[in-house]
Amino acid sequence: MVRIGNITTTEFPLLLAPMEDVSDPPFRAVCKENGADLMYTEFISSEGLIRHAAKSVAKLDIFEYERPIGIQIFGNNIDSMKEAAELTERANPDIIDINYGCPVKKVACRGAGAGILLDVPKMVKMTEEIVKTTSLPVTVKTRLGWDDKTKYIGEVSERLQDVGTCAITIHGRTRQQMYKGEADWTLIGEIKNNPRIHIPIFGNGDVDSPQKALLMRQKYGVDGIMIGRAAIGYPWIFREIKHYFSTGELLPRPSIDERIQVFKKHLDFSTNWKGLRVGIAEMRRHYANYFRGIPYIKNHRAKLVTCNSYEEILCTVDDIRQIAA
């Protein structure tokens, strides 16, 4: 078992990454059903929370079946982050996670997310203050560094552990790389094998198959793996990895009937949760993977992206079922 503060997970947990406009309750629900062990919410702006912005506050909503669940916050002001942590604790998550990894310009270039990697002392101080503020386990998600010249993640991990961080997830890229090139897990493995490190170290980046998950587990010795983009529209990635770990065999890809069943469940939750317009719009990023590999799908997938009504989406999906039969 892996312990994160007072939280116990499975022997080798598979984590769902906190992805903006992706890791919402509807998506988390289908990922949980398919084997995700620990999930995080979309990241929440500390400034939005303390100003009670509706969109930020809505992201605090979590459900009992999701546990263990972490709520992730981000910001560049220590006092605001402390206040946001207090508000987050009232939502009763199992974990508070700090985002030190978002590479998006509007976040990082304002000194939040991966931007704080340019000021490691502030990063450590902010973490320490949040740990003091909450009784919940505090975890961190970050990157190797700002660029190739500032890969200080080894030192950073030790310092974050020393101020009370309960687990660290490391994305194997720098901020400068964004999501380009291959993730480098070498430093992640070195940190995990550092005798000074005694908290869980989770790896993140480019795990898109059971085979790659097993390779990263065996080669780098991490305590678990966080999966992001590979899960979008394909929540089955979690169960496929677990099956491969336990049997050495690959599960067949889900049938068209199962894909449609899970897709509809996701769609219904999304439209009920966010309303038809927003729910439909935010489902569009999932369509390609839900129906990947089906012959002659291109035109139908393009049609799905332009559908604005629930009925039209279901009709298009029924057409996809017929061509896949």
Side-chain angles (χ1 to χ4, degrees):
M1 299 293 182
V2 173
R3 292 190 65 84
I4 303 173
N6 61 343
I7 302 300
T8 301
T9 71
T10 55
E11 179 183 354
F12 189 84
L14 301 180
L15 289 66
L16 173 65
M19 296 176 282
E20 177 69 357
D21 293 330
V22 174
S23 301
D24 56 11
F27 183 55
R28 297 199 304 266
V30 295
C31 287
K32 186 70 174 181
E33 288 180 356
N34 283 280
D37 297 303
L38 172 60
M39 303 185 295
Y40 289 95
T41 65
E42 305 168 75
F43 69 0
I44 307 175
S45 163
S46 58
E47 299 297 334
L49 265 188
I50 66 176
R51 288 168 172 75
H52 306 290
K55 186 174 181 181
S56 296
V57 173
K59 292 179 181 178
L60 292 175
D61 288 341
I62 55 177
F63 297 87
E64 283 300 312
Y65 64 77
E66 298 185 283
R67 296 190 186 280
I69 179 83
I71 293 178
Q72 189 186 74
I73 57 176
F74 77 97
N76 65 358
N77 181 279
I78 293 177
D79 289 336
S80 296
M81 286 288 280
K82 287 173 60 180
E83 187 174 350
E86 292 174 354
L87 293 170
T88 299
E89 185 168 7
R90 294 177 197 171
N92 197 29
D94 300 291
I95 293 167
I96 293 179
D97 189 67
I98 311 173
N99 183 315
Y100 292 144
C102 179
V104 176
K105 184 176 181 180
K106 67 179 181 179
V107 174
C109 292
R110 294 178 181 175
I116 206 167
L117 289 165
L118 292 171
D119 190 347
V120 172
K122 181 179 180 181
M123 180 186 192
V124 174
K125 181 64 175 176
M126 181 181 288
T127 307
E128 182 178 23
E129 292 300 315
I130 292 172
V131 168
K132 291 177 181 177
T133 297
T134 178
S135 62
L136 295 172
V138 174
T139 61
V140 163
K141 184 172 189 288
T142 188
R143 288 182 171 236
L144 302 179
W146 179 262
D147 55 25
D148 284 341
K149 297 178 181 178
T150 58
K151 291 182 179 180
Y152 305 136
I153 189 61
E155 173 196 348
V156 166
S157 297
E158 290 186 4
R159 293 179 67 179
L160 291 176
Q161 174 184 264
D162 290 346
V163 297
T165 302
C166 292
I168 302 173
T169 300
I170 304 167
H171 183 102
R173 290 182 174 87
T174 63
R175 186 272 163 180
Q176 189 178 60
Q177 284 181 273
M178 300 292 285
Y179 295 98
K180 298 176 182 177
E182 290 187 8
D184 179 6
W185 283 57
T186 306
L187 285 176
I188 303 175
E190 290 179 6
I191 293 161
K192 172 56 196 171
N193 293 294
N194 177 351
R196 271 212 65 211
I197 295 292
H198 55 78
I199 60 174
I201 300 296
F202 303 123
N204 175 229
D206 292 351
V207 175
D208 56 8
S209 69
Q211 299 96 316
K212 190 169 287 186
L214 183 61
L215 173 66
M216 298 310 185
R217 179 180 185 176
Q218 293 177 336
K219 186 173 182 179
Y220 299 105
V222 291
D223 295 289
I225 290 173
M226 178 175 281
I227 299 170
R229 289 175 292 169
I232 298 175
Y234 199 78
W236 300 280
I237 185 72
F238 299 100
R239 78 173 187 191
E240 289 178 358
I241 290 173
K242 287 184 171 183
H243 183 82
Y244 190 69
F245 281 177
S246 63
T247 69
E249 299 175 352
L250 293 172
L251 278 175
R253 294 180 69 84
S255 67
I256 185 61
D257 286 338
E258 183 177 6
R259 293 192 203 194
I260 291 174
Q261 179 186 17
V262 175
F263 169 81
K264 286 183 176 179
K265 181 180 294 184
H266 188 175
L267 175 66
D268 287 344
F269 197 159
S270 185
T271 52
N272 290 332
W273 185 258
K274 300 184 177 183
L276 278 173
R277 185 182 63 82
V278 176
I280 287 172
E282 294 194 356
M283 278 293 294
R284 288 172 180 161
R285 70 191 69 238
H286 296 275
Y287 293 153
N289 283 349
Y290 264 120
F291 302 112
R292 181 197 300 168
I294 296 174
Y296 315 112
I297 188 66
K298 184 176 179 180
N299 290 338
H300 291 83
R301 192 170 59 221
K303 185 177 179 181
L304 275 176
V305 174
T306 60
C307 287
N308 290 313
S309 79
Y310 181 84
E311 293 75 16
E312 190 178 6
I313 291 172
L314 293 189
C315 286
T316 304
V317 169
D318 283 340
D319 289 341
I320 292 172
R321 185 200 302 271
Q322 292 181 29
I323 67 171

